Amino acid sequence: MLFLESCNHKKNARIDWCELTDRYSENAADSLKLEALLFLRENMSDLKSEIPVFYQRDTREIVDIRLDTISTEASLIEIIKGNNLVFQTKLVPDSLLLTTSDISRTIDTVIADWQKNYWKMNIPKDVMLNTLLPYKVLHERPQDWRSYFSKYFTGYLPQIKPTRPYSKIALDGMIADSVVWRDSTHTLIPRSNQIQLTRQPGLDELRIIKSGDCNSMAVKSTYLYRSFGIPATVDFTSQYGGGNTGHATAVFWDDSARTFRPRHGDGEGFNPKYKLSKAFRLSFKKQNVWKDSILPVVKKSWQFELAHLKNNHWNDVTDEHVPTSDIPVKAAGVQFDYAYLCTYTDGKWVPVYWAKKQNNQFLFRKMGREILYQFALPDNKGYRLTGQIILLDSMGGIQQTIRPDRKKVKKLELKKINYGRLAWVKKGSPYTLKFLNELGNWETFAKQTASRDSSIIFNKVPGNTFYLLVKNDERPLERPFTYNKSLVWY
């Protein structure tokens, strides 16, 4: 289903679960297919997809656009502008977007590939069901990407007769040779000004636009690997602990490690320089952390700040990527049942995880190390910073009090506002140096204009604390740092 069809057709599109159940129940040899059917039915029950709806600007009349007939972004833009169209999105349950044949084709194909085991991998059944069988990664519209990509593998897979499991590096290379380099339409170019029909693009949108962010690339890679018979899904962080950004990366089943691993090419994996705060793995199988653990505590979902956790299909996998530690925070006198930990990004503290109050404390589990956090509480504006700063060091040590030494002052000669390649101090630009005070606030120390490139000097600066060098005339991209003989970014 690679196009936007009329609403009437979609309303009539249904999955006949009884027909499929009867089909797979007739033969004992189909017991695994029946298990796969039940798995899909149970775990897709709460899934919805965002689809674009096009309509004429003046008459508001809905217009059907076959996205599978459009090959380029320029063509799509020409259609939209030439016909005076606008578009919006709507959420549609997956059960109204899929047919009986879609489900049966998926099950038959995946089970056959898993049993043939081209790669001589020991892929556990639960891994196959959760990260190879599903018809989509999670949030995007379901489309038949498996058939679309399988044409590149037809006649190729049956020729492969390994005597031992293929290494992950070898598999990466074969996929690149078989698909990516043979057809440039499968190479996504990162850029920020492309047209975007939905927040979570599926196959058609990716094929037309041929560019996207890290999430689009992770979804595309997941399609490729699953089409190749290799379990894959997406790991993501909403916000790094030491960088002004989040990230998503595809992860693939590594048979030798018996777990999932990201690729380590350009843009893949989590950059250690950015210091990972939390990482979550998309799971088609319901994990129900939201339903069973979070929602009963927060009670009203609109009050919960971590939008990416407001579904039942994720696992916390931070400790699979980086060393972690639990952070306890005393709850004495706190009237709230839950709280947040925040990291600093784009000039403000942003929540990255939550904890509920238990045994007179909040215990934030599996937090990434070498990160500066701030404790925050919910309020009617979303959350309220408490000024309680927490440094989780590289060995798991926790420092919950920052006391700047206003007597033991130092000289700071600074070159950059953060470690980014475009963050150099520029001659003639105004800067403000701030430090973290006893109340957990950024206190202004001094303002001055840089007299030369790559160097600005501040004298008699309070010691034993964290600092910010803010460039006053642009988006706040500064990062906290310490300065004890050498500069360390956080």
Side-chain angles (χ1 to χ4, degrees):
M1 299 191 306
L2 304 178
F3 52 87
L4 179 68
E5 298 184 11
S6 68
C7 295
N8 288 335
H9 179 90
K10 287 304 177 189
K11 288 181 179 178
N12 293 330
R14 294 291 190 273
I15 303 168
D16 191 333
W17 296 106
C18 292
E19 175 191 330
L20 291 173
T21 300
D22 290 343
R23 181 189 308 178
Y24 294 137
S25 298
E26 290 176 354
N27 189 338
D30 287 335
S31 60
L32 182 56
K33 292 183 179 180
L34 179 60
E35 185 176 351
L37 176 69
L38 298 176
F39 177 87
L40 290 177
R41 183 176 186 179
E42 166 62 23
N43 292 290
M44 67 180 283
S45 61
D46 62 340
L47 294 182
K48 296 182 179 181
S49 300
E50 189 179 51
I51 64 171
V53 178
F54 298 88
Y55 56 93
Q56 290 193 331
R57 187 185 302 273
D58 299 328
T59 65
R60 313 296 287 184
E61 180 182 356
I62 293 178
V63 178
D64 289 338
I65 301 294
R66 288 184 59 98
L67 295 181
D68 64 322
T69 65
I70 302 173
S71 59
T72 67
E73 181 182 30
S75 298
L76 176 61
I77 294 174
E78 182 179 352
I79 291 172
I80 292 173
K81 291 183 176 180
N83 294 279
N84 195 28
L85 302 179
V86 292
F87 62 88
Q88 64 183 22
T89 60
K90 68 175 181 178
L91 289 176
V92 179
D94 283 7
S95 58
L96 298 183
L97 297 172
L98 295 165
T99 65
T100 303
S101 61
D102 292 329
I103 296 296
S104 63
R105 181 175 61 249
T106 296
I107 292 174
D108 293 347
T109 299
V110 173
I111 297 300
D113 287 346
W114 184 62
Q115 292 175 333
K116 289 175 184 175
N117 194 8
Y118 295 111
W119 310 113
K120 295 295 184 280
M121 288 182 172
N122 180 16
I123 301 172
K125 183 172 66 174
D126 60 331
V127 171
M128 179 274 291
L129 292 174
N130 194 28
T131 56
L132 182 58
L133 172 69
Y135 53 86
K136 68 175 186 175
V137 180
L138 191 62
H139 298 298
E140 80 282 12
R141 183 186 180 195
Q143 296 172 305
D144 193 10
W145 44 265
R146 211 180 304 261
S147 294
Y148 181 79
F149 287 119
S150 66
K151 63 186 178 184
Y152 292 92
F153 307 137
T154 301
Y156 180 63
L157 288 179
Q159 299 175 19
I160 298 174
K161 298 178 181 179
T163 57
R164 62 181 185 275
Y166 265 51
S167 71
K168 193 166 152 302
I169 294 176
L171 292 171
D172 287 347
M174 279 189 288
I175 287 180
D177 291 341
S178 300
V179 180
V180 177
W181 302 119
R182 286 176 55 189
D183 189 338
S184 62
T185 62
H186 303 312
T187 302
L188 292 182
I189 301 173
R191 60 188 176 98
S192 58
N193 61 343
Q194 71 268 14
I195 186 173
Q196 189 166 340
L197 301 179
T198 62
R199 289 171 297 179
Q200 302 288 340
L203 175 62
D204 267 352
E205 199 168 338
L206 296 176
R207 181 184 52 78
I208 294 170
I209 308 304
K210 299 181 179 62
S211 62
D213 57 15
C214 57
N215 180 73
S216 297
M217 294 183 176
V219 169
K220 183 70 165 290
S221 292
T222 300
Y223 291 164
L224 283 168
Y225 273 79
R226 288 186 184 178
S227 300
F228 217 32
I230 300 168
T233 186
V234 173
D235 284 6
F236 71 94
T237 181
S238 64
Q239 180 56 55
Y240 276 113
N244 298 315
T245 184
H247 190 52
T249 181
V251 291
F252 317 101
W253 178 252
D254 187 334
D255 199 63
S256 61
R258 309 301 301 154
T259 188
F260 287 87
R261 292 280 187 260
R263 291 178 63 191
H264 293 288
D266 293 340
E268 301 286 354
F270 294 108
N271 192 327
K273 179 175 66 176
Y274 296 155
K275 299 177 181 177
L276 186 65
S277 56
K278 295 298 296 180
F280 305 98
R281 178 165 298 156
L282 296 183
S283 168
F284 193 85
K285 181 180 180 180
K286 292 179 184 177
Q287 304 301 308
N288 291 328
V289 180
W290 167 248
K291 178 176 73 71
D292 295 340
S293 298
I294 301 177
L295 191 56
V297 177
V298 304
K299 297 181 174 60
K300 297 179 180 178
S301 62
W302 55 267
Q303 293 180 328
F304 191 63
E305 285 294 301
L306 304 174
H308 53 284
L309 303 185
K310 293 166 70 171
N311 68 79
N312 294 309
H313 296 266
W314 57 268
N315 282 313
D316 183 350
V317 293
T318 314
D319 57 344
E320 293 188 25
H321 293 277
V322 294
T324 64
S325 295
D326 295 344
I327 298 178
V329 179
K330 294 180 180 179
V334 176
Q335 302 301 313
F336 297 95
D337 294 327
Y338 66 101
Y340 301 107
L341 275 188
C342 304
T343 61
Y344 191 82
T345 182
D346 285 339
K348 60 184 178 181
W349 293 95
V350 178
V352 293
Y353 204 48
W354 83 295
K356 62 181 177 181
K357 184 165 62 177
Q358 287 182 310
N359 301 322
N360 207 32
Q361 73 171 2
F362 298 98
L363 185 62
F364 297 90
R365 298 187 182 277
K366 295 198 296 189
M367 305 303 300
R369 297 178 183 175
E370 290 191 89
I371 294 174
L372 193 66
Y373 297 100
Q374 180 163 181
F375 180 63
L377 295 170
D379 72 359
N380 57 6
K381 295 182 179 180
Y383 61 99
R384 170 175 56 86
L385 300 175
T386 65
Q388 185 171 351
I389 304 297
I390 301 168
L391 172 62
L392 181 61
D393 66 28
S394 61
M395 301 302 293
I398 299 173
Q399 179 182 346
Q400 297 199 24
T401 304
I402 304 297
R403 292 190 177 92
D405 191 334
R406 297 175 184 266
K407 295 181 179 180
K408 189 177 181 180
V409 296
K410 61 177 65 178
K411 173 184 175 180
L412 300 187
E413 182 174 3
L414 306 172
K415 298 179 179 180
K416 305 176 73 175
I417 65 172
N418 67 39
Y419 47 76
R421 60 186 179 89
L422 301 178
W424 294 96
V425 167
K426 298 178 181 179
K427 180 180 178 180
S429 294
Y431 293 88
T432 299
L433 180 68
K434 299 182 179 184
F435 68 93
L436 202 57
N437 66 20
E438 297 86 347
L439 300 177
N441 298 321
W442 293 109
E443 181 176 326
T444 296
F445 173 74
K447 298 181 179 181
Q448 62 175 285
T449 299
S451 59
R452 57 195 178 101
D453 287 336
S454 304
S455 178
I456 189 168
I457 298 173
F458 296 88
N459 292 301
K460 298 182 180 180
V461 180
N464 192 41
T465 186
F466 287 82
Y467 308 94
L468 289 175
L469 181 61
V470 180
K471 192 171 186 293
N472 299 336
D473 58 353
E474 61 183 33
R475 172 188 166 193
L477 295 176
E478 67 277 357
R479 292 300 313 165
F481 63 91
T482 57
Y483 199 103
N484 295 310
K485 296 184 179 180
S486 63
L487 187 149
V488 178
W489 296 105
Y490 283 85

